[in-house]
């Protein structure tokens, strides 16, 4: 498998054809396959209750790039295998194009001797992942080659088919890597041809709010150019799993195709990123299609922290101009403490901030409430106000979110000439629609009618729902308004 000369093979047996290492891998791929010390390994004593397994000294056989795994290695949980001999998807496999006539066999030999007995036994692995120690050594069987890849050379693991088929876009998309039985993967690996790529200008770190778009401008140099060369980026998260940790890719995208010019600039857009802590990795890569290795530069890394606002409510959402009522703005979410200050503003229709309050954000906080006093609210003029929450990192704005409700300050209206149809309701009822006809006096153009009929309905103890209406231009105060109101039981 590794291309030994005949003199290196036990018993001087001839080596058939070119070795697997040369046939299956390119020069660049062979460069990232590590040499592995291969040892003779007997079976672990008493794995299946036997007391007389061989237990000879563990000795080094050779140092190879391609090797046959041992019985103990194929049951090693740190490699992702199960520790039992039973059939398991963690060890099941399919035949490759290099198997040729061996596809008729369902058993592949391991390098460990089998259990003691009257015959010469060897350990083996079946197609369905079953492992055993009692295969008699005779006839022709395949082997299942193993190798170790230098982990520092791997940039990305993706689906072997269509795993990186995203359209060229400045916006990163969600990245998925299916796991389990029958999945095939390909690697994006660092290589010498991309080693000089460099990001010359980029933010040192980033903070953002889920749903709020940010643009990340970068300048780069020494990129490789060609039909399949790109500036790409991905967001990874550190995953802790027992005694080891790894980076899991959550978002990925090809940002720019590099047809000409090895120096340049581009923008990476981040939006709808779930809350958490990430590393934004920027790199120059060559994408070679399905089931082919992709090649890449090293990555330029930027730390990213994301907070999320799940709820933003203001209560109440309106008041009459001469009515004193304090207003509370409440925000609930995740990772608020990547900011250290929150500011809530009431902004009028001209874009001018009319009221503003700030509050410090403490470590671990996921909910903030800011109260505007009744006195402050009386200072607002009649009209409609957007309510804005702005998160700060010291003096730098991380982002802002807008409350779904518009705040209304209405004039000093009075109601007269009330009629309703029907005039009464027979209980019990599930729901009913009541038509209310009345006059609102004291309106000005642009005023908002907020639950106008509710004033009447609540006076008799009924609970209603109603829509809002804006007083149109040219409205006359003595005109009648009609609301259709749904009255729940």
């Amino acid at each position: 498998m590794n291309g030994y000369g005949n003199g290196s093979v036990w018993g001087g047996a001839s080596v058939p054809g070119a070795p697997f290492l040369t046939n299956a891998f390119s020069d660049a791929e062979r460069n990232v396959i590590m040499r592995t010390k291969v040892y003779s390994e007997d079976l672990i004593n008493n794995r299946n209750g036997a007391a007389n397994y061989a237990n000879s000294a563990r000795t080094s056989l050779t140092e190879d790039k391609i090797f046959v795994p041992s019985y103990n290695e194929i049951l090693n949980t740190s490699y992702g295998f199960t520790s039992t001999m039973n059939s398991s998807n963690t060890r099941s496999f399919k035949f490759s194009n290099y198997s040729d006539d061996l596809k008729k066999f369902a058993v592949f030999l391991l390098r460990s001797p089998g259990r003691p007995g009257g015959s010469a036994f060897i350990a083996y692995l079946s197609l369905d992942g079953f492992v055993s120690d009692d295969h008699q050594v005779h006839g022709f069987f395949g082997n299942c080659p193993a190798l170790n890849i230098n982990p520092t050379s791997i940039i990305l693991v993706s689906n072997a088919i269509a795993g990186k088929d995203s359209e060229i876009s400045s916006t990163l998309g969600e990245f998925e890597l299916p796991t389990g039985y029958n999945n095939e993967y390909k690697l994006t690996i660092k290589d010498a041809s991309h080693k000089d790529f460099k990001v010359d200008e980029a933010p040192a770190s980033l903070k953002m709010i889920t749903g709020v778009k940010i643009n990340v401008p970068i300048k780069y140099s020494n990129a490789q150019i060609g039909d399949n060369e790109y500036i790409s980026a991905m967001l990874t998260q550190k995953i802790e799993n027992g005694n080891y940790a790894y980076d899991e890719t959550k978002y990925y995208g090809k940002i720019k195709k590099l047809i000409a010019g090895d120096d340049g600039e581009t923008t990476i857009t981040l939006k709808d990123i779930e809350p958490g802590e990430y590393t934004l990795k920027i790199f120059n890569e060559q994408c070679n299609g399905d089931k082919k290795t992709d090649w890449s530069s090293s990555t330029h890394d930027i730390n990213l922290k994301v907070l999320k606002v799940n709820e933003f409510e203001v209560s109440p959402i309106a008041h009459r101009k001469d009515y004193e009522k304090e207003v509370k703005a409440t925000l609930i979410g995740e990772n608020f403490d990547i900011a250290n200050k929150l500011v809530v503003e009431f902004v009028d229709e001209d874009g001018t901030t009319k009221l503003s309050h700030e509050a410090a954000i403490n470590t671990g906080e996921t909910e903030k409430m800011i109260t505007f006093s009744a006195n402050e609210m009386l200072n607002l003029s009649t009209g409609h106000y957007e309510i804005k929450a702005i998160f700060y990192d010291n003096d730098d704005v991380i982002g802002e979110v807008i409350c779904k409700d518009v705040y209304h300050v209405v004039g000093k209206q009075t109601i007269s000439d009330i009629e309703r149809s029907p005039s009464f309701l027979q209980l019990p009822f599930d729901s009913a629609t009541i038509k209310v006809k009345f006059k609102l006096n004291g309106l000005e153009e642009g005023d908002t009618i907020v639950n106008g009929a509710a004033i009447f309905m609540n006076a008799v103890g009924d609970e209603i729902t109603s829509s809002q209406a804006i007083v149109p231009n040219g409205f006359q105060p003595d005109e009648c308004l009609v609301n259709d109101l749904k009255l729940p039981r």
Side-chain angles (χ1 to χ4, degrees), residues 17 61 101-102 141 155 191 194 216 222 258 329-330 358 438 456:
L61 298 176
D101 292 339
L102 294 177
F141 297 93
I155 299 295
D191 77 323
H194 293 81
V216 185
N222 302 325
L258 300 173
T330 305
E358 68 177 59
F438 56 90
F456 171 70

Side-chain angles (χ1 to χ4, degrees), residues 349-419:
E349 294 168 277
D350 296 326
T352 303
T353 299
K354 292 298 186 180
L355 278 182
S356 177
H357 265 326
E358 68 177 59
I361 298 176
N362 301 311
T363 301
E365 282 191 310
T366 58
E367 180 174 347
K368 293 298 295 184
M369 178 185 290
I370 292 181
T371 301
F372 293 83
S373 71
N375 240 5
E376 290 174 300
M377 300 309 295
L378 285 177
N379 291 325
L380 292 180
S381 302
T382 303
H384 325 297
Y385 295 86
E386 183 180 71
I387 311 160
K388 193 184 289 187
I390 308 167
F391 289 86
Y392 284 84
D393 179 16
N394 297 319
D395 293 327
D396 297 324
V397 174
I398 295 173
E400 62 182 47
V401 292
I402 308 298
C403 182
K404 67 181 186 305
D405 296 315
V406 175
Y407 194 85
H408 306 276
V409 180
V410 297
K412 302 176 183 179
Q413 301 98 1
T414 59
I415 297 177
S416 64
D417 301 333
I418 300 169
E419 298 176 17

Side-chain angles (χ1 to χ4, degrees), residues 125-161:
L125 171 67
S126 296
L127 279 173
D128 61 0
F130 176 76
V131 181
S132 188
D133 55 12
D134 60 356
H135 197 281
Q136 290 187 353
V137 182
H138 64 82
F140 295 92
F141 297 93
N143 59 51
C144 189
L147 55 88
N148 284 309
I149 298 174
N150 183 352
T152 63
S153 67
I154 300 173
I155 299 295
L156 178 63
V157 180
S158 58
N159 228 18
I161 298 176

Side-chain angles (χ1 to χ4, degrees), residues 133-208:
D133 55 12
D134 60 356
H135 197 281
Q136 290 187 353
V137 182
H138 64 82
F140 295 92
F141 297 93
N143 59 51
C144 189
L147 55 88
N148 284 309
I149 298 174
N150 183 352
T152 63
S153 67
I154 300 173
I155 299 295
L156 178 63
V157 180
S158 58
N159 228 18
I161 298 176
K164 294 168 67 179
D165 274 0
S166 59
E167 298 291 330
I168 298 171
S169 170
S170 63
T171 304
L172 298 190
E174 289 189 26
F175 179 84
E176 293 185 1
L177 184 67
T179 58
Y181 182 60
N182 266 348
N183 286 304
E184 294 183 307
Y185 306 103
K186 60 178 282 183
L187 302 178
T188 302
I189 296 176
K190 287 189 288 188
D191 77 323
S193 67
H194 293 81
K195 67 180 177 62
D196 294 327
F197 172 77
K198 185 169 63 169
V199 174
D200 301 302
E201 293 182 26
S205 62
L206 297 165
K207 294 182 178 182
M208 66 177 290

